[in-house]
Structure formats: C-alpha cells, structure tokens
Amino acid sequence: MNDPAGFVASAVDRLRTELPGPAIVAASGGIDSTIAAVLAQRAVGDRAHAVFVDTGFLRAGEVERVAELFRACGLRHELVRAGPRFFGALAGVADPEEKRRRIGAEFVRRFEEEAARVGGDRLVQGTIAPDWIESGGGARATIKTHHNVGGLPPTHLTIVEPLRDLYKDEVRAVATFLGVPSPERQPFPGPGLAVRVEGPVTEERIRRVRVANAIVEEEIDRAVGAGKLPRPWQYFAVLLASRTVGVTGDNRVHGDAVVVRVVESTDAMTATALAVPAALLRTISERITRELSGAVVRVLYDVTDKPPATIEWE
Ligand code: XMP
C-alpha cells in the first residue's frame, strides 16, 4: 500500500454514496472489520452502527479487549450477547463447512435484527481479498467457505465491503495511518473457536480449547516480549476430535489431544510453520496438560506449511 491516505479518502467518499441511510457494521474486533467500522463512521458518523456479536466462541478476555480497542479508536458499538443461539445452531454439527454456514446464518439474523432496530438496510463488512478469493467465485475453486463471504445466507441487507480489494499487509498499513492501535494483532476467524474444535461443538469442548489457546497466546507473547522470537502471524490451539490415551497417577485415562499451531505469513495465502524453541513448546505442553488435567492428555505441534496445509485445521 503506497498511499494509505489516498485509499482512506476515496473509501470514505465511496461509503458516503453507498450508505445513504442507517447502516450496520459487522465489527468482530479483528483488524479488518475495525478498519471498515472506522471508515464507515468517518463517512456517515452515527448513521453507522458497529455491532459486536458475542457468539460464545470467543477467546478468553475477548469481549473486554474488543471494547477497549473500540474505545481507543473512538468507535461507538453495540454488544449483542448471542452465545445460546450459536451453540443451539451448531448442536450435533461436525462438518466444518456446515458449521461455517450455520454460524454465517446466525450472524446474519443478528445483523438483520439490529438493522431493523435502527431502520437500516445496509451491512458493512471487513471482507478482504483473500476471503473472497478462497471462498471461490468465478473460475476459482472453493478452498473453504469463509463464513463472512461464501457462507453468507440470503439476506435483504445490501452488503458494502470497503476493503474487498486489499490484502492483509495493506489493511495494516491503513490501520497504522488511521492510528488504530495494535495493528500487529493476529487474525482470528469469524467463526471463532467453533472451527478450532474438530467435530461437534459443545460448551465443554469450547472451554477446553479456550483455556489451551490462552496458554499458547500467553507463552508466545511472553517469548516475543523477551526477544526470544519474532511475533508470529498466528499462534493458537486446536482441539482434535480423536480421543487419546494418557496416564494420571496409576490410571490410564482417555482424554483429548490439542494441536499447537504457530505460523509466519505476510498475507495468509501461504504460511510457514515456525520453528518454536523446544523449551517453549515443553512449557506450553506442561501448562495445557496441567491446567486441563484429565481433560487434555496430549499436545502436538503442527510443522506443516501452507500449502499443502491451510493455517486453520477446519
Ligand atoms: P486458512 O486456514 O484458509 O486461513 O489458511 C487463512 C486465513 O483466514 C483465516 N480464516 C478465516 N477468517 N472466517 C474468517 O473470517 C473464516 O471462516 C476463516 N477461516 C480461516 C485464518 O485464521 C487465516 O488467517
């Protein structure tokens, strides 16, 4: 991005035309939708209503972190607590594409409700280029249905996407220009922890992956802070579907396995698995199996690049 100022000026201009009345902005707290929301409020002020949905699939402390981020950006927003609706929608669903479709449907219903409340018919999203490229369309094969693009169910709302031609590094340049804090914040998928739990989603399985994920984030952040590691692009935990044998005391127990994934990337189109120091992996493994004692008995590290693997497991 050579000219973030020029991009912002033309995006704001276009949004003034595209948002003639009240609009909802789907704000996840991620960098893309935060920038989209900042641009929309710059363009039309209070007519742009940023809506943050607590799906129940958020990371530890996320609601508070996002509220703090929005405050720092001067973004006014509405928090919609919808955990029970999302868990209900996913009951018994194991297929990742079906999970994304159902989550997409729940999001859209919540946004439609909010739009009805403010009397608007526009929905602003922070979709960026890799989202729609990987969701298929035109001659491209569908790699996966991103919940915010290919997975979007029919809606009467008109979708407005001010960032759809940008790649992640360009969004970050715009964020820096706009003074949005922490532009190095790692990407987090819209469907959240639901796609970091392989197979069926339950409150307990989400709790387990949330605890494991918080440990991965804390330990990697600590190592980055101590200068032992450059800040990776993404670092997270995945709860596997298969059960595995472990020992606690004298007993053999069946428990879960957690995969730790730490990748370097510039635009998420390709990625390299990072060579995390063995001592750090050991610390992460010890903490996960201790803090989820009896529930998680095995920790694995994913050494696969993208391609052939994707960054997420689902
Ligand atoms: P993959 O797993 O396809 O991920 O290599 C590429 C980037 O996209 C993020 N991701 C998603 N983001 N909805 C999103 O908003 C999704 O359904 C989704 N799936 C993957 C992923 O975290 C990575 O940064």
Side-chain angles (χ1 to χ4, degrees), residues 19-267:
L19 306 178
I24 296 301
V25 186
S28 68
I31 185 155
D32 306 341
S33 61
T34 302
I35 299 300
V38 169
L39 292 175
Q41 288 194 355
R42 271 202 181 193
V44 302
D46 281 346
R47 286 215 311 272
H49 299 264
V51 172
F52 174 63
V53 180
D54 178 356
T55 56
F57 309 142
L58 298 175
R59 289 168 291 184
E62 188 131 34
V63 169
E64 297 75 17
R65 247 196 332 268
V66 169
E68 181 51 44
L69 171 71
F70 288 172
R71 247 194 311 279
C73 301
L75 265 183
R76 296 162 298 285
H77 79 286
E78 199 71 44
L79 169 66
V80 174
R81 291 198 185 271
R85 305 283 294 257
F86 279 81
F87 274 105
L90 289 196
V93 178
D95 177 68
E97 290 300 291
E98 184 61 19
K99 284 185 192 174
R100 281 190 167 77
R101 267 191 294 277
R102 292 192 186 205
I103 291 170
E106 275 308 309
F107 266 110
V108 165
R109 295 291 92 80
R110 303 287 78 73
F111 295 137
E112 286 175 345
E113 282 171 10
E114 291 301 304
R117 195 174 57 77
V118 302
D121 64 356
R122 297 288 197 279
L123 176 62
V124 180
Q125 287 196 307
T127 315
I128 65 171
D131 300 338
W132 57 266
I133 291 169
E134 295 204 349
S135 280
R140 294 178 194 272
T142 299
I143 295 174
K144 98 171 44 158
T145 308
H146 279 239
H147 85 95
N148 51 345
V149 194
L152 200 70
T155 173
H156 66 272
L157 300 175
T158 303
I159 307 296
V160 175
E161 296 174 324
L163 308 180
R164 67 174 281 117
D165 294 328
L166 302 194
Y167 283 82
K168 203 76 179 191
D169 50 334
E170 299 176 309
V171 178
R172 287 186 167 157
V174 173
T176 305
F177 170 76
L178 289 171
V180 169
S182 307
E184 80 281 3
R185 193 177 179 280
Q186 59 168 320
F188 183 62
L193 299 177
V195 290
R196 295 209 174 145
V197 156
E198 248 194 342
V201 175
T202 63
E203 299 219 19
E204 174 57 18
R205 304 193 76 223
I206 290 289
R207 183 190 75 81
R208 291 179 187 188
V209 81
R210 181 179 286 128
V211 171
N213 193 70
I215 293 168
V216 173
E217 289 194 358
E218 274 169 37
E219 293 301 330
I220 297 284
D221 285 343
R222 199 196 320 274
V224 169
K228 292 185 185 150
L229 199 74
R231 181 173 299 284
W233 169 269
Q234 275 179 277
Y235 39 109
F236 56 88
V238 177
L239 191 75
L240 294 188
S242 58
R243 307 271 287 164
T244 177
V245 181
V247 274
T248 53
D250 292 336
N251 299 320
R252 284 165 72 83
V253 293
H254 258 99
D256 283 329
V258 159
V259 171
V260 176
R261 181 111 168 104
V262 183
V263 297
E264 199 36 77
S265 178
T266 51
D267 59 8

